[in-house]
Amino acid sequence: DERQILQFQITLYGDDERLLMARDITRLHRLEQMRRDFVANVSHELRTPLTVLAGYLETYNDHADQLPSRFARGLTLMQEQTMRMQNLVNDLLLLSRLEIDHRSEDAVPVTVDELLSAIRRDADSLSGGRHELSIEINDQRQLLGSEQELRSAISNLVFNAVRYAGEGCHIVLRWNSCAKGACIEVEDDGEGIDPVHIPRLTERFYRVDKGRSAATGGTGLGLAIVKHVLLRHDAHLEIESHPGKGALFRCVFPEPRLVEANDDHPRVQR
Ligand code: ADP
């Protein structure tokens, strides 16, 4: 619409001096909207052809014994890359949906220990027993939010720990009280991350090691998704890490998002 969007900035110079600046960001806002629409439309259009490709490749794979053996490697590669593209398209669509609105609509009380147990089961099967995963619950309150979005965000953190921490590592999922409210923490004792990368980790497609990340099947959008899900829950992400000393991802939820667990609240459907 034709509304003008202004951004205000107030700078304090001392006790009695301050500067108010107003900037017209209407054009910037429109460009950002165009970018979001474009990405969402392209991702949506790519879904059908990719589904057709994946379907036929699966059929060929079912009849692989009838194909000349020199095609076997190519078929496997095509299947892997098609799945990678499908993951990318799904993550792009999810991200553009999360970006449209900064507030989660379908907030219900989520029982965090059940949520973390479900994520651990998925992570256990992904890890194939190469990591030890444990859960610590130190807060009995429930979290008001979208169970689906929270599951997708925390799964991204746990799957990252499984993929990057290295074999034999210990991964802990925690629900803790903290000064600002309560936090879900995902901590591993793996390879860690150089702190210079930390401020940029939640940018789309930012990776510490591009080759390694692509090889693990990541889309480069995992932490951007986490950041947007948390924004929609009035929460934020804190990251602490050092090379060789593991990594800690902390999702901090403010008090208004927490409710005492009692039977009057509707249970989260699973
Ligand atoms: P990707 O699809 O590449 O995993 P993410 O946004 O999920 O994208 O993560 C961004 C980068 O952060 C990864 O490429 C990886 O280098 C780094 N990273 C994330 N989690 C961890 C972790 N637990 N340990 C070490 N590095 C990590």
Side-chain angles (χ1 to χ4, degrees), residues 238-253:
E238 296 174 353
I239 307 172
E240 291 170 19
S241 188
H242 286 282
K245 300 234 164 76
L248 169 65
F249 291 82
R250 182 184 297 119
C251 310
V252 185
F253 297 90

Side-chain angles (χ1 to χ4, degrees), residues 160-161 163-164 188 192-193 201 206-208 213 218-220 222-223 249:
N160 272 352
R163 288 182 307 171
Y164 298 112
D188 67 67
I193 308 160
L201 283 183
Y206 187 87
R207 281 135 159 189
V208 175
S213 176
T219 60
L223 293 178
F249 291 82

Side-chain angles (χ1 to χ4, degrees), residues 67-224:
L67 291 171
S69 59
R70 64 180 188 280
F71 291 161
R73 172 107 186 101
L75 184 59
T76 310
L77 277 178
M78 282 194 280
Q79 275 193 301
E80 279 172 11
Q81 295 303 322
T82 308
M83 197 190 292
R84 218 180 126 200
M85 278 196 278
Q86 283 182 308
N87 289 340
L88 183 60
V89 162
N90 288 339
D91 275 0
L92 280 171
L93 273 174
L94 174 62
L95 198 53
S96 52
R97 250 181 251 135
L98 294 173
E99 280 178 327
I100 291 173
D101 191 354
H102 287 308
R103 213 169 175 86
S104 184
E105 294 294 330
D106 47 351
V108 292
V110 176
T111 310
V112 180
D113 57 350
E114 287 177 15
L115 176 77
L116 296 184
S117 302
I119 293 172
R120 184 177 61 175
R121 277 196 295 278
D122 294 345
D124 270 335
S125 59
L126 178 76
S127 145
R130 289 189 303 273
H131 304 84
E132 198 187 323
L133 278 112
S134 55
I135 296 180
E136 292 173 13
I137 302 293
N138 302 313
D139 190 312
Q140 299 312 317
R141 288 173 293 180
Q142 290 179 308
L143 177 55
L144 275 179
S146 150
E147 205 229 354
Q148 202 191 353
E149 287 178 22
L150 289 168
R151 184 165 176 161
S152 136
I154 309 302
S155 296
N156 268 312
L157 296 177
V158 179
F159 292 175
N160 272 352
V162 167
R163 288 182 307 171
Y164 298 112
E167 209 157 302
C169 283
H170 189 196
I171 300 164
V172 193
L173 283 64
R174 277 190 215 98
W175 177 227
N176 270 351
S177 315
C178 59
K180 297 168 202 157
C183 337
I184 295 180
E185 292 182 348
V186 178
E187 184 169 25
D188 67 67
D189 57 0
E191 293 177 16
I193 308 160
D194 191 319
V196 294
H197 297 290
I198 292 179
R200 300 197 56 194
L201 283 183
T202 55
E203 287 175 19
R204 295 180 198 87
F205 299 114
Y206 187 87
R207 281 135 159 189
V208 175
D209 178 343
K210 278 198 187 324
R212 178 154 176 236
S213 176
T216 60
T219 60
L221 297 172
L223 293 178

